[in-house]
Amino acid sequence: MVRTYSSTCFGPEGSLVEIEASIQEAIPGIVITGLAGEIVKESRERVRACIATLGLKVPSARTVVHLSPATEKKQGSQLDLGIAMAILAVEKQFPLKKPLHRLGFLGELSLDGRIRAIDHAVALADALLKSKRIEHLFVPEANAREVSLLGCACVTPVATFAELLAFLQSGEMLPLLPEVPLPEFPNSTAEGPLDKVRGQAVGKRALQIALAGSHHLLLVGPPGVGKSMLAAAAPSLLPPLDREELIELAKNQSRIDWESADALRRPFRTPHHSASAGSLIGGGSRSVCGGEVSLAHAGVLFLDEFPEFRKDALEGLREPLQSGEIFLHRVGVHARFPARFLLIAAMNPCPCGYAFQTVKRCRCHPAKAEAYRRRISGPIFDRLDLCVVLGLPTDEASHTTLSHQAVADSVARVRARKATEKAKPFEPPLSQDSEEWLENLKAKEYLSYRSIDKTLRVANTIAELAEKAVIEVDHLREAWSLRCRQFPTLF
Ligand SMILES: [Zn+2]
């Protein structure tokens, strides 16, 4: 009996698969057991064809390949390579210099012996490397760049099955995967996307606070006011992804297009309002796939025409907005996807779009405008910390707004401080005046616990942006003004 390792995955985390092969006295053939999915069962034919290209007649006996744990489903063509190695080894066709049970294999075999790229390479490789069972892992050359993210010094990329066998018989040092450094994005001082937004001082300030403190933001305003431009500027205002975030993102996707310059940038996902709950949140019947919320992990999810989204899709946002992750359940499979995105939602204030504007008058029936706003439920609104109403730009307003670079720098500074104080979040205390101001506010207005908490958290970010050690009245006042009190029915 021989043993080696590979992995499988349903969702962003892979799990180890132990491959055992043994020979029985019976009619020659290959039998695969251990809850193998369709693609794994077909592996038999690919392996047989591939071994034939080496000029070998295998199997010469009945070979049983067992995949364990037997209770867990296995799927994917990445098991091909491990299955082929186990069969060759149990048939003693090749004297190997390395013990097979200390090796891991990932790769799909083509009929002519090439090793093809696989999906979910990062998650699969990570599961094997973390298991501590193996000393060395072989991955398809086409997946080498993705796997190099894991920064492990015991991975060898291989292009063909013959090349792999030559390695294993030679006993020489194996060529290792070079660790690819993360690309540096130039911090240009030229005009950034935010500088192209005309006016909108309040919108830019709200965006700065949202990005610095990871506060979900709702932009309200008439059509053409710059809501989409503000949102689109957001990813480039955030610091570059770190390695940990990149690994999480890579695991959320089945394959990464490394040729695209955007592969290593923060995601900016903009699903259309007709999107189903499944495509927004995730799902799938055969395998569990992440939705837009997990593809936006570590980046920005922009939902334009927010009230037009399907009700079930919007309600599905509650879980990831609250916890930064999403759990998907399918028959026998549970998967957890990280989904720590910043939500920027945008909407018209009423069906015609001109409510709360002085330049143009709203022509909607009040009940209709109210019904339109009520399409967003209270629990969803509760999860949006910031809400601003944007006005149509006027000519004199264009010069005094925050610059792209200033926002990017301040966001990076606040986030860096938060990161170094992860164990105990930095929370400035309230000044004496602030305490009194808050008490006054509470006496004047009905404030829920959640409402006070939100205001305080936003004020905390504002104090951090101002590099102050206490929350001052001005910070509280600004935080309170960013609560969109024009929407009294919702707040
Ligand atoms: Zn209107």
Side-chain angles (χ1 to χ4, degrees):
M1 206 270 295
V2 298
R3 190 171 76 234
T4 190
Y5 294 95
S6 189
S7 58
T8 187
C9 75
F10 290 88
E13 295 297 334
S15 61
L16 190 76
V17 175
E18 196 176 284
I19 303 173
E20 295 167 320
S22 68
I23 290 181
Q24 296 172 348
E25 297 283 325
I27 303 164
I30 299 171
V31 180
I32 297 178
T33 63
L35 276 188
E38 280 303 311
I39 301 170
V40 184
K41 281 185 188 146
E42 289 168 5
S43 171
R44 219 163 37 178
E45 306 310 324
R46 290 190 294 273
V47 167
R48 215 197 293 262
C50 182
I51 292 176
T53 63
L54 301 169
L56 302 168
K57 272 206 164 35
V58 165
S60 60
R62 183 179 151 96
T63 308
V64 178
V65 176
H66 179 62
L67 310 174
S68 61
T71 49
E72 235 173 66
K73 275 191 193 169
K74 326 285 180 311
Q75 71 167 12
S77 55
Q78 74 282 352
L79 293 164
D80 284 4
L81 204 53
I83 292 173
M85 286 310 304
I87 292 172
L88 278 185
V90 80
E91 295 252 354
K92 299 199 171 54
Q93 295 277 357
F94 280 92
L96 300 177
K97 292 275 166 57
K98 292 227 168 218
L100 208 59
H101 68 274
R102 303 299 299 165
L103 303 177
F105 299 94
L106 289 172
E108 175 183 322
L109 289 173
S110 74
L111 302 187
D112 61 1
R114 279 175 299 130
I115 297 173
R116 306 175 65 144
I118 54 170
D119 287 344
H120 305 288
V122 176
L124 293 165
D126 193 42
L128 275 157
L129 296 169
K130 272 192 189 145
S131 75
K132 307 271 182 230
R133 301 272 187 96
I134 60 163
E135 284 164 6
H136 209 97
L137 173 64
F138 295 90
V139 299
E141 199 166 47
N143 295 108
R145 237 185 115 180
E146 284 166 77
V147 176
S148 75
L149 270 181
L150 296 168
C152 181
C154 60
V155 180
T156 296
V158 277
T160 67
F161 194 53
E163 183 193 353
L164 171 66
L165 289 176
F167 281 152
L168 293 175
Q169 290 174 80
S170 71
E172 286 167 20
M173 280 287 286
L174 297 171
L176 293 173
L177 193 62
E179 191 177 322
V180 180
L182 299 185
E184 299 252 339
F185 292 110
N187 224 351
S188 72
T189 48
E191 194 180 56
L194 194 66
D195 298 321
K196 297 196 175 76
V197 183
R198 216 173 125 238
Q200 301 306 358
V202 176
K204 289 179 184 177
R205 173 66 172 160
L207 187 62
Q208 180 189 31
I209 297 166
L211 293 169
S214 299
H215 301 293
H216 302 300
L217 167 68
L218 174 63
L219 299 170
V220 184
V225 81
K227 296 177 298 230
S228 307
M229 282 177 80
L230 277 172
S236 58
L237 291 163
L238 288 167
L241 290 162
D242 61 29
R243 190 174 291 274
E244 198 181 319
E245 287 172 320
L246 264 173
I247 292 173
E248 283 178 325
L249 259 179
K251 285 181 176 181
N252 274 356
Q253 303 172 50
S254 58
R255 214 176 271 192
I256 302 169
D257 178 14
W258 289 98
E259 301 313 314
S260 138
D262 292 336
L264 300 171
R265 290 185 192 275
R266 289 201 182 261
F268 181 63
R269 306 292 304 187
T270 57
H272 189 253
H273 60 73
S274 61
S276 67
S279 73
L280 201 61
I281 309 305
S285 50
R286 281 188 142 205
S287 65
V288 185
C289 301
E292 292 290 339
V293 295
S294 46
L295 294 175
H297 175 66
V300 175
L301 179 69
F302 177 51
L303 303 182
D304 200 5
E305 314 274 359
F306 199 42
E308 306 285 342
F309 275 81
R310 293 162 52 116
K311 204 168 172 48
D312 56 344
L314 285 185
E315 291 308 306
L317 288 174
R318 281 163 69 170
E319 184 188 343
L321 283 177
Q322 188 69 35
S323 62
E325 56 190 12
I326 183 98
F327 285 89
L328 298 174
H329 309 285
R330 289 293 171 274
V331 185
V333 179
H334 307 280
R336 184 198 77 92
F337 286 81
R340 238 176 14 259
F341 56 87
L342 181 81
L343 173 64
I344 301 183
M347 64 185 280
N348 293 340
C350 62
C352 87
Y354 293 99
F356 317 128
Q357 298 293 321
T358 47
V359 187
K360 218 168 165 182
R361 274 198 41 206
C362 167
R363 306 202 170 275
C364 303
H365 189 282
K368 277 210 167 146
E370 171 74 20
Y372 177 76
R373 298 195 278 265
R374 280 210 178 271
R375 293 177 69 155
I376 300 165
S377 71
I380 290 293
F381 251 103
D382 272 346
R383 286 165 175 80
L384 300 165
D385 290 344
L386 299 167
C387 173
V388 286
V389 176
L390 306 178
L392 291 161
T394 50
D395 286 332
E396 69 271 20
S398 53
H399 293 295
T400 49
T401 60
L402 286 159
S403 75
H404 186 93
Q405 197 57 49
V407 173
D409 291 346
S410 61
V411 168
R413 181 170 45 76
V414 173
R415 285 191 163 228
R417 182 156 62 182
K418 275 192 201 300
T420 54
E421 298 177 35
K422 244 176 192 166
K424 187 178 170 292
F426 179 70
E427 275 175 15
L430 287 166
S431 70
Q432 183 66 37
D433 290 353
S434 300
E435 297 269 11
E436 284 168 19
W437 188 89
L438 198 62
E439 286 310 311
N440 265 333
L441 185 73
K442 283 187 208 164
K444 267 197 295 189
E445 315 228 6
Y446 166 73
L447 290 178
S448 63
Y449 168 76
R450 201 191 278 271
S451 182
I452 295 169
D453 181 55
K454 266 205 288 197
T455 308
L456 278 175
R457 279 193 295 126
V458 173
N460 188 69
T461 303
I462 293 171
E464 284 186 62
L465 278 168
E467 299 185 68
K468 292 287 167 67
V470 290
I471 297 175
E472 293 166 4
V473 175
D474 282 352
H475 306 148
L476 275 176
R477 205 175 274 138
E478 186 177 10
W480 182 240
S481 76
L482 295 171
R483 298 288 317 282
C484 188
R485 307 224 307 290
Q486 287 99 326
F487 274 27
T489 48
L490 292 166
F491 280 85

